[in-house]
Amino acid sequence: MKHTAITDEKVEADTAAQEPGYAAWKRAKVERGLAQAKDRSAMIPADQVLDALKLAR
């Protein structure tokens, strides 16, 4: 079996084929997630999440 590696040209071609607004949308999504992660007061405590998951079973 022949091993095939993905070349840099192939990767660049794949990213160029994406929609033009996709990169901006993805960046904005990541930035919103980072901002949300900084506001720890809005997060649900882990104990509460685990208890809810136990009850769901």
Side-chain angles (χ1 to χ4, degrees), residues 1 8-9 12 14 27 31 38-40 51-52 57:
M1 195 183 298
D8 290 339
E9 295 88 21
E12 290 172 8
D14 287 347
R27 181 177 181 87
E31 288 176 355
K38 288 180 183 177
D39 183 15
R40 296 205 175 265
D51 288 340
R57 290 186 179 181

Side-chain angles (χ1 to χ4, degrees), residues 2-16:
K2 183 178 178 183
H3 177 65
T4 56
I6 299 174
T7 62
D8 290 339
E9 295 88 21
K10 174 76 172 149
V11 172
E12 290 172 8
D14 287 347
T15 52

Side-chain angles (χ1 to χ4, degrees), residues 21-57:
Y22 177 76
W25 168 82
K26 187 174 181 181
R27 181 177 181 87
K29 181 177 179 180
V30 170
E31 288 176 355
R32 283 192 309 268
L34 289 173
Q36 190 178 32
K38 288 180 183 177
D39 183 15
R40 296 205 175 265
S41 65
M43 292 185 176
I44 301 171
D47 294 337
Q48 184 179 349
V49 173
L50 291 174
D51 288 340
L53 289 174
K54 289 177 186 174
L55 293 174
R57 290 186 179 181

